């Protein structure tokens, strides 16, 4: 399962792969920092089937608009996956617990400063 902001591939999170099961249970927690300017983009959850050869197959995805959530309130619900490919016809559901927590600008700046920096790409001369 991949979790990310709607247009944010850089900060995506992935669950562990569950082998040989049609009813996986993850019980994993993720924390994503989303600025208030990007809350309208939403949170995207996409479920994949792990393939030994080639790219993993998307089994469906769903999106939650973060600007519809009340801060500090927990939301737990089953969400229907939407079709991502004409090949996928048996769409499942995923249960999520979501809590939006607002942090102050000072806390956000402190977290950003503590985050390891990405290596810089070298440009050819």
């Amino acid at each position: 399962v991949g979790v990310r902001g709607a247009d944010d591939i850089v900060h995506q999170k992935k669950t562990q792969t569950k082998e040989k099961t049609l009813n996986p249970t993850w019980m994993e927690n993720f924390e994503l920092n989303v600025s208030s300017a990007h809350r309208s983009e939403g949170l995207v959850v996409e479920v994949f089937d792990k393939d030994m050869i080639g790219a993993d197959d998307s089994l469906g995805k769903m999106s939650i608009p973060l600007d519809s959530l009340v801060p500090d309130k927990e939301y737990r619900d089953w969400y229907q996956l939407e079709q991502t490919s004409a090949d996928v016809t048996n769409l499942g559901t995923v249960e999520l617990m979501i809590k939006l927590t607002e942090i102050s600008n000072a806390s956000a700046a402190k977290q950003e400063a503590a985050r390891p920096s990405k290596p810089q790409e070298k440009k050819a001369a």
Side-chain angles (χ1 to χ4, degrees), residues 16 22 30 32 44 65-66 71-72 89 109:
Q16 294 178 356
L22 297 176
F30 295 109
L32 298 168
V44 176
L66 296 177
D72 298 318
T89 57

Side-chain angles (χ1 to χ4, degrees), residues 4 10 15 28 50 53 74 101:
R4 62 180 169 81
V10 175
T15 63
E28 295 183 39
K50 181 75 174 170
I53 299 173
E74 286 188 5
T101 304

